[in-house]
Amino acid sequence: MIPNRVEVFPGSQIDAYIIEKTLGEGGFGSVFLARKNSSRYALKLLRLWETDGPERNNILARFELEFQTGKIDSPYLVHNYEYGTLSGNPYIIMDFCPNGDLRNHMENRTLSQTKVPEIGVSILLGLDALHNNGKVHRDLKPENILFDETNKAKLSDFGIAGHANLKRLTQMNWAGKPQVVFGTYMYMPPEQAQPKSAHVTIIPTVDIFAFGVMMYELFTGSLPFGKLETQADLGTYVMNSAKGNFRDLKMVNPNIPATWAHTISHCLQPDYRKRPQNIKAVLEMVDGKGDLAAGVNESSDSTPFINLMVMQGEEFRRVYNLQGLLRGEQIGSFTIGRNDKGVVNDIDIRDEVLTYVSRRHATIEKIEKYPWWIIKDGQWNMETRSWIPSTNGTYVNSQKAETFPGKPLKPGDIITIGDTTLKVIKAD
């Protein structure tokens, strides 16, 4: 269906919802305050009529994935309720958070320092829910932290969650607040600012760096890598970020709790491999119970009967049964790669938009020596009689799975290959 242009104003009715006012606009989306009976919601309408061709399909796919991400059950995420269309233009019904966003509170100085740790933990719990479902926010910043009617902080705006190198709908605007292409440089880790690092921009360490920048700003009132007020500041800011040059938190704010100063400093490491590898590790550091964690799922369940479910990708919710692929055998191996002509894989991942999944990406094995499955990066090439690694790497819970010995898989693990994430789940 070709979308038609629509005009929405106070008093307009969209299905069962009455529009009360406009809350905001940007790119191709508009957000309205809507009422259904006595309840208030936010209604996000995609102005699809302003797009055409491949761009329309790309934006629509992102919008649908944003809806699915907002269905994750967590009190620390803005929840999505319904998905509908208005003259061919899709809309999402979501939580209305009447107490503004974190940026408003920072600029209006309405946050006490005693409230900051609570907000930080809420953000971490929201990120944990995303990451445990194979999603990475990738645009974490104060504007995307909203406060509900009880002033609980919730994560919002999942429009680029889990997508590698998809362009943001907003452009640079140095006349006002910095609005940049794909994310915000203020909170971007070095690897996200480099196009060649796309393979490590959809693992949790991206959000962990952005979290560190936000918490530094909340505790000190300044950005960690210098001022960023004009375009001329950008080069210096990005260079300091890449080198890890930030002023010691205790020098800026002597009253910051020691555990938070320690945690933030680790989150701001320029090398993603030296940051905490998952949210559990960050929470333990904040609580003073641990340092950098290994980043692997600690489940002791080594059941061989597991499935892989696509959590982020072009075939959302597709399930692969590993035991079924062995066709009754107890041991064996099979391959994972991009669905492409001329290549046969046991698990063929659809990746037609970005093609970050290699044609021969990874290998999963079940051998007698271990009671669990093992995933290895790359595949054996019969023609060259050698093991060929993937282009963008294979990751399990943010940690790279090398060719040998590989990584064991347990229920709850998140596998990242290219722009696709798969969650290891128990088989029925």
Side-chain angles (χ1 to χ4, degrees):
M1 178 180 180
I2 299 176
N4 296 321
R5 181 184 181 88
V6 295
E7 297 291 340
V8 180
F9 46 84
S12 297
Q13 183 164 350
I14 300 178
D15 292 331
Y17 299 89
I18 304 297
I19 301 300
E20 294 193 347
K21 65 177 181 179
T22 300
L23 296 175
E25 293 189 359
F28 298 117
S30 300
V31 182
F32 305 94
L33 175 60
R35 183 179 295 277
K36 180 180 179 182
N37 299 323
S38 60
S39 300
R40 294 191 300 173
Y41 302 90
L43 185 152
K44 185 173 184 178
L45 176 70
L46 187 62
R47 302 192 302 273
L48 206 57
W49 72 84
E50 296 180 3
T51 67
D52 57 21
E55 180 184 50
R56 176 181 294 165
N57 294 333
N58 188 15
I59 292 173
L60 181 58
R62 279 177 49 188
F63 198 71
E64 291 172 347
L65 283 170
E66 178 179 357
F67 173 71
Q68 295 295 340
T69 302
K71 296 290 286 183
I72 295 172
D73 185 17
S74 168
Y76 302 98
L77 301 178
V78 171
H79 187 70
N80 292 340
Y81 296 95
E82 294 183 39
Y83 184 99
T85 57
L86 176 65
S87 298
N89 300 282
Y91 67 82
I92 295 172
I93 301 296
M94 62 184 73
D95 284 328
F96 171 57
C97 295
N99 287 314
D101 62 43
L102 184 55
R103 177 68 71 196
N104 296 143
H105 288 280
M106 292 165 65
E107 292 180 346
N108 296 329
R109 301 182 183 276
T110 55
L111 290 178
S112 67
Q113 284 289 294
T114 57
K115 179 78 171 176
V116 171
E118 178 187 331
I119 293 172
V121 171
S122 293
I123 294 170
L124 287 172
L125 293 173
L127 289 175
D128 191 51
L130 286 178
H131 296 173
N132 287 337
N133 283 276
K135 310 284 185 177
V136 179
H137 194 288
R138 304 185 75 244
D139 195 19
L140 192 65
K141 55 187 177 182
E143 290 83 350
N144 291 336
I145 309 299
L146 304 183
F147 292 88
D148 65 12
E149 63 279 355
T150 65
N151 276 315
K152 178 185 292 183
K154 296 188 175 188
L155 275 64
S156 70
D157 193 359
F158 312 120
I160 61 174
H163 295 266
N165 282 1
L166 290 181
K167 292 182 178 179
R168 284 292 281 168
L169 305 183
T170 53
Q171 298 296 321
M172 189 80 76
N173 175 15
W174 291 101
K177 296 178 182 178
Q179 294 180 333
V180 301
V181 175
F182 187 51
T184 304
Y185 278 110
M186 286 181 179
Y187 308 97
M188 255 189 207
E191 68 271 18
Q192 196 176 9
Q194 297 294 326
K196 293 181 180 180
S197 302
H199 59 291
V200 291
T201 62
I202 56 169
I203 57 178
T205 46
V206 168
D207 288 343
I208 288 170
F209 184 93
F211 172 78
V213 177
M214 275 205 312
M215 296 310 296
Y216 188 107
E217 191 177 12
L218 282 171
F219 275 114
T220 69
S222 60
L223 292 167
F225 305 113
K227 66 177 183 178
L228 188 51
E229 298 172 356
T230 68
Q231 193 164 7
D233 298 329
L234 181 59
T236 301
Y237 190 90
V238 171
M239 181 181 66
N240 286 335
S241 171
K243 293 182 177 181
N245 292 336
F246 57 90
R247 192 177 177 194
D248 184 85
L249 284 114
K250 281 289 188 179
M251 296 289 291
V252 186
N253 178 6
N255 297 319
I256 184 174
T259 54
W260 275 101
H262 175 74
T263 302
I264 293 168
S265 296
H266 279 87
C267 291
L268 293 179
Q269 290 297 311
D271 185 343
Y272 73 94
R273 292 164 293 191
K274 295 181 180 180
R275 295 175 211 147
Q277 296 295 293
N278 55 35
I279 298 301
K280 180 178 182 294
V282 183
L283 286 166
E284 287 180 349
M285 293 174 73
V286 168
D287 200 34
K289 294 182 178 178
D291 209 303
L292 295 181
V296 295
N297 191 298
E298 296 183 355
S299 170
S300 60
D301 188 347
S302 59
T303 173
F305 303 108
I306 59 176
N307 294 339
L308 300 182
M309 176 182 286
V310 178
M311 304 302 295
Q312 186 69 50
E314 296 179 27
E315 294 181 292
F316 179 68
R317 293 291 185 185
R318 181 174 178 180
V319 175
Y320 298 94
N321 181 277
L322 301 193
Q323 199 66 29
L325 288 170
L326 290 180
R327 297 175 177 83
E329 300 294 329
Q330 297 301 310
I331 61 174
S333 66
F334 50 88
T335 57
I336 304 177
R338 187 174 78 244
N339 187 325
D340 200 358
K341 292 181 179 179
V343 178
V344 177
N345 283 289
D346 299 291
I347 294 181
D348 54 338
I349 302 295
R350 183 178 174 184
D351 183 26
E352 298 176 359
V353 177
L354 297 173
T355 64
Y356 285 138
V357 177
S358 297
R359 296 165 79 233
R360 298 181 176 91
H361 200 107
T363 302
I364 294 184
E365 295 181 344
K366 179 69 173 64
I367 58 180
E368 290 180 325
K369 184 178 180 181
Y370 302 112
W372 51 73
W373 296 87
I374 295 173
I375 188 167
K376 299 179 177 181
D377 183 63
Q379 295 180 13
W380 176 262
N381 189 303
M382 292 296 294
E383 296 178 2
T384 62
R385 300 192 65 78
S386 62
W387 194 277
I388 307 298
S390 70
T391 301
N392 292 322
T394 301
Y395 296 82
V396 179
N397 303 325
S398 298
Q399 291 194 324
K400 193 170 185 178
E402 303 294 348
T403 299
F404 299 103
K407 289 278 187 185
L409 297 177
K410 300 179 179 64
D413 286 346
I414 299 295
I415 302 170
T416 303
I417 56 173
D419 192 40
T420 299
T421 59
L422 303 104
K423 185 171 186 176
V424 180
I425 59 176
K426 290 183 179 180
D428 294 333

